[in-house]
Amino acid sequence: MKHLLKMMDLSSEEIIEILNLADQLKYEQKHGIPHDHLKGKTLGMIFEKASTRTRVSFETGMYQLGGYPLFLSSSEMQIGRGEPVEDTARVLSRYLDGIMIRTFKQEEVEKLAEYGSIPIINGLTDYCHPCQVLADLLTVREYKNKLDGLNMCYIGDGNNMANSLIVGCLKTGMNVSVACPEGYHPDKTVMDFTKAYSNFKLTADPKEAAADADVLFTDVWASMGQESEAEKRKIAFKGYQINDDVMSVAHGDALVLHCLPAHREEEITAKVFEEHAAEIFDEAENRLHAQKAVMVKLMG
Ligand code: CP
Ligand code: NVA
């Protein structure tokens, strides 16, 4: 494993290895055991979109590992003025030991990896969000003590989160049921990937997807960069919500997870959100531990 560009690139074994390492690093951090595996290393963090969790968890994680996190806003870099990503990759590879990038196009992340000579970590693109899904899998495993055989449900937009969740959950043996409205399905590459799995289902009916679920996920109706479509999407996604009605068909002890930020009364009701706040904020914390594992694996 040289980079973390998308879940599709990881084998099932590599995913489990990252989760196991994350468990170990979480234990070390909680018990004050030094784990400065990245002493003297620098991670550049390029942001072309807003972030709370990704920025703070990578920055803190790098510090806890004994390394240095360098925040780079793309609007203040030459890349924001049109310097090609191919050149940026080759220049930054001379200074840094790894790059985390949050941007729009997946292609840009792939190019950074192609032209650079250091590990590249995808901190979210329009196509996928692998760091989030590693933290999600870590959280599910903590609560349920396993992944294999669990029923996972995703309700909402077939967006970056859906794309990564589908691949990550199928690769770890979960049964995956997804409810998306017509016109907002997951990416074609992901739908092609699911063809090899008989335990994958795509429906337009949220309750059908939620039946017997052990864990339910959702995400915002309009992602970053889709602000101008927000009103249109409010109509298209009406009913694609995790609420009491949907929860009534899931298992009684089902988890509800959300990558955050959440829009209450849109994709999830405030009531269900607060009833599941414990696991949702554990999930947010697990960004830190999962990403520390990714950094140690790639940069250690
Ligand atoms: N879930 C997530 O990636 O959050 P941020 O946008 O705050 O980084
Ligand atoms: N789908 C959301 C995820 C945010 C973490 C977005 O891209 O804005």
Side-chain angles (χ1 to χ4, degrees):
M1 182 180 164
K2 274 167 70 184
H3 307 284
L4 176 61
L5 308 180
K6 52 185 180 295
M7 291 306 291
M8 208 92 87
D9 297 340
L10 300 184
S11 68
S12 305
E13 294 72 29
E14 282 171 327
I15 296 172
I16 298 301
E17 271 172 39
I18 292 168
L19 301 186
N20 292 345
L21 181 55
D23 279 343
Q24 182 198 319
L25 293 168
K26 183 169 182 174
Y27 180 88
E28 289 173 353
Q29 194 231 327
K30 297 282 181 198
H31 291 82
I33 301 166
H35 51 282
D36 53 350
H37 306 295
L38 296 182
K39 206 171 171 179
K41 304 266 168 102
T42 304
L43 176 79
M45 310 188 302
I46 304 174
F47 283 91
E48 206 173 333
K49 289 177 174 174
S51 170
T52 296
R53 281 144 289 268
T54 305
R55 177 179 176 180
V56 178
S57 56
F58 266 106
E59 196 157 330
T60 310
M62 196 57 187
Y63 172 76
Q64 290 176 1
L65 290 166
Y68 180 71
L70 180 63
F71 175 78
L72 300 161
S73 165
S74 66
S75 64
E76 289 162 25
M77 294 172 73
Q78 298 290 8
I79 200 170
R81 296 179 57 247
E83 184 171 18
V85 66
E86 294 88 331
D87 295 359
T88 306
R90 284 176 285 189
V91 170
L92 293 182
S93 293
R94 304 291 180 113
Y95 307 135
L96 302 169
D97 302 288
I99 296 173
M100 188 244 73
I101 178 167
R102 165 169 289 198
T103 188
F104 291 89
K105 290 195 185 116
Q106 178 70 17
E107 196 191 4
E108 232 176 83
V109 179
E110 306 268 349
K111 255 193 202 164
L112 210 49
E114 185 186 340
Y115 284 85
S117 54
I118 55 176
I120 306 299
I121 301 171
N122 184 340
L124 180 145
T125 59
D126 292 348
Y127 175 64
C128 66
H129 198 0
C131 290
Q132 179 68 53
V133 168
L134 290 169
D136 295 353
L137 295 172
L138 190 65
T139 311
V140 175
R141 199 174 72 162
E142 271 177 5
Y143 274 85
K144 299 286 183 191
N145 292 312
K146 63 171 187 174
L147 294 171
D148 194 36
L150 291 178
N151 298 332
M152 169 286 202
C153 157
Y154 175 90
I155 296 174
D157 190 14
N159 61 10
N160 43 14
M161 277 307 303
N163 289 336
S164 287
L165 276 170
I166 290 168
V167 176
C169 291
L170 286 174
K171 283 196 180 212
T172 51
M174 296 168 80
N175 306 310
V176 174
S177 290
V178 175
C180 302
E182 202 51 55
Y184 296 93
H185 285 180
D187 192 82
K188 185 181 178 302
T189 55
V190 172
M191 291 309 298
D192 287 344
F193 172 86
T194 66
K195 284 182 186 150
Y197 293 85
S198 57
N199 54 341
F200 172 80
K201 182 165 74 183
L202 176 66
T203 167
D205 178 359
K207 274 176 96 171
E208 187 188 338
D212 296 324
D214 297 302
V215 52
L216 298 95
F217 292 90
T218 187
D219 188 18
V220 291
W221 290 345
S223 287
M224 289 182 275
Q226 298 171 335
E227 289 78 7
S228 66
E229 295 176 28
E231 286 313 309
K232 181 180 119 191
R233 285 171 169 265
K234 272 185 192 164
I235 297 163
F237 286 97
K238 200 169 180 300
Y240 287 82
Q241 182 187 65
I242 300 189
N243 52 33
D244 282 344
D245 191 33
V246 161
M247 292 306 293
S248 72
V249 299
H251 280 146
D253 61 352
L255 301 172
V256 176
L257 296 178
H258 193 308
C259 63
L260 305 176
H263 290 181
R264 289 161 175 80
E265 309 310 330
E266 290 189 13
E267 74 275 6
I268 188 165
T269 59
K271 180 170 179 285
V272 172
F273 184 93
E274 289 306 330
E275 283 167 358
H276 292 272
E279 63 254 29
I280 291 171
F281 292 103
D282 280 343
E283 176 190 14
E285 177 186 330
N286 280 336
R287 293 293 303 277
L288 173 69
H289 309 297
Q291 288 158 196
K292 281 168 76 178
V294 169
M295 289 191 284
V296 169
K297 227 173 164 339
L298 294 177
M299 299 163 64

